[in-house]
Amino acid sequence: MFTGSIVALVTPMDEKGAIDRVSLRKLIDYHVASGTKAIVSVGTTGETSTLTHEEHGDMVMWTLELSDGRVPVIAGTGANSTAEAVSLTRRFNDSGVVGCLSVTPYYNRPSQEGLYQHFKAIAESSNLPQILYNVPTRTGCDMLPPTVARLAEINNIIGLKEATGNLSRVSQIQDLLNTDFLLLSGDDASALDFMQLGGQGVISVTANIAAKEMAHLCALAAEGNYTDARRLNQRLMPLHKTLFFEPSPIPVKWACKVLELIKTDTLRLPMMPLTETGICVVKQALIDAGLL
């Protein structure tokens, strides 16, 4: 459940900005049918930064309810306050989620020791499996391989979503860790290379709109069939790139709407709708990928 194609699910909203349960059900059904291995609910792509605490919990619980055991659900529980991250994590104890994804604290730029103590406190607050999430372009904070190795010694810290796009990190981390620790790419454009170097999968933005293709890509990589995997990845590469043409999840929510996976591409301020230029770029990428 923690390998292969794991979708970083968008949070569908109606015209007024409320969470859209009808579209959420449609998205979950789509991922079940497409072979997505697990859903991350309320991660970065799920607009965690603009949801209230109550909405955050509701979105995770509704994802659990609507998935009805058909696909594992991982809860996004990261925060820049350790106490808040601990509270979010505890909220999902005994809820049915299979684990938590916790991003490095953003904005306050902690030291490596601060990162260690932060994640140690979170892990010790729960029996749920914990996946670390390193995305310095978003957080201004980079968790280095020696810190990951220290954290990996804590029993319920089981893996890392590494979203730096720096492929040398794979071998650096592997050299310090045992083979049971999961390494997941958080960067679609380099995910195939990441898996070829030893990663076990990807927590993907592209999978929101190309779920079957991403599931197949990861399956090919797991089989060691990199010839066919690279052919498929080359077709998806325009999507991998243009879904970040403007800040995510702006492009991917627009694409979800165009593909009729959700009703609207509503976002909350300070996020703005996809620009006319962005629409042209993303639409062409969808055409090139054979999705439109």
Side-chain angles (χ1 to χ4, degrees):
M1 71 181 72
F2 295 116
T3 63
S5 178
I6 301 170
V7 64
L9 195 70
V10 298
T11 295
M13 298 175 184
D14 63 22
E15 292 86 351
K16 295 182 179 179
I19 297 172
D20 178 1
R21 277 177 56 98
V22 174
S23 289
L24 179 59
R25 180 187 290 277
K26 189 172 185 179
L27 282 174
I28 293 168
D29 290 346
Y30 165 69
H31 285 288
V32 170
S34 300
T36 298
K37 287 296 184 71
I39 289 173
V40 171
S41 181
V42 199
T44 305
T45 310
E47 298 177 78
T48 178
S49 58
T50 60
L51 298 183
T52 66
H53 286 205
E54 183 179 0
E55 288 173 325
H56 188 136
D58 287 346
M59 177 63 182
V60 173
M61 297 308 294
W62 288 340
T63 304
L64 275 168
E65 174 194 339
L66 297 173
S67 64
D68 194 25
R70 295 174 297 159
V71 61
V73 176
I74 300 166
T77 55
N80 62 344
S81 160
T82 303
E84 183 179 346
V86 165
S87 176
L88 272 172
T89 301
R90 284 178 174 165
R91 180 170 186 174
F92 300 116
N93 283 343
D94 304 316
S95 66
V97 302
V98 298
C100 298
L101 178 70
S102 191
V103 72
T104 54
Y106 42 87
Y107 187 76
N108 45 21
R109 301 178 66 190
S111 66
Q112 295 301 303
E113 182 61 25
L115 287 171
Y116 175 78
Q117 295 298 336
H118 173 82
F119 286 114
K120 180 174 180 286
I122 294 169
E124 290 176 346
S125 75
S126 172
N127 290 324
L128 286 169
Q130 302 292 315
I131 302 172
L132 311 172
Y133 178 15
N134 189 39
V135 57
T137 56
R138 285 274 191 174
T139 64
C141 170
D142 188 7
M143 183 162 51
L144 301 178
T147 304
V148 175
R150 289 180 68 198
L151 288 165
E153 295 175 1
I154 299 171
N155 286 339
N156 60 329
I157 295 181
I158 64 163
L160 168 70
K161 176 185 177 182
E162 175 63 36
T164 60
N166 179 358
L167 292 171
S168 68
R169 286 288 176 91
V170 180
S171 60
Q172 290 174 32
I173 294 168
Q174 287 174 327
D175 287 345
L176 297 169
L177 297 176
N178 65 58
T179 56
D180 293 333
F181 193 78
L182 294 170
L183 293 178
L184 301 169
S185 173
D187 175 60
D188 282 304
S190 61
L192 181 58
D193 292 326
F194 188 100
M195 288 185 280
Q196 189 165 12
L197 290 169
Q200 287 86 14
V202 57
I203 297 180
S204 170
V205 174
T206 301
N208 277 285
I209 55 172
K212 186 179 296 185
E213 290 81 359
M214 288 302 297
H216 188 42
L217 177 71
C218 290
L220 289 170
E223 294 166 3
N225 183 353
Y226 287 100
T227 299
D228 288 341
R230 291 201 176 281
R231 188 177 297 115
L232 174 56
N233 196 53
Q234 193 61 33
R235 178 160 64 88
L236 295 175
M237 190 59 71
L239 279 182
H240 297 333
K241 294 180 177 179
T242 59
L243 291 181
F244 293 88
F245 182 79
E246 292 177 19
S248 185
I250 295 170
V252 72
K253 287 193 87 170
W254 180 87
C256 283
K257 182 192 71 172
V258 168
L259 297 176
E260 299 184 346
L261 294 169
I262 59 178
K263 291 180 183 177
T264 77
D265 59 341
T266 303
L267 301 132
R268 291 181 181 176
L269 288 172
M271 306 303 282
M272 294 293 291
L274 189 64
T275 63
E276 289 300 319
T277 300
I279 287 171
C280 293
V281 170
V282 178
K283 184 177 181 180
Q284 187 60 52
L286 289 171
I287 293 169
D288 292 343
L291 299 178
L292 194 64

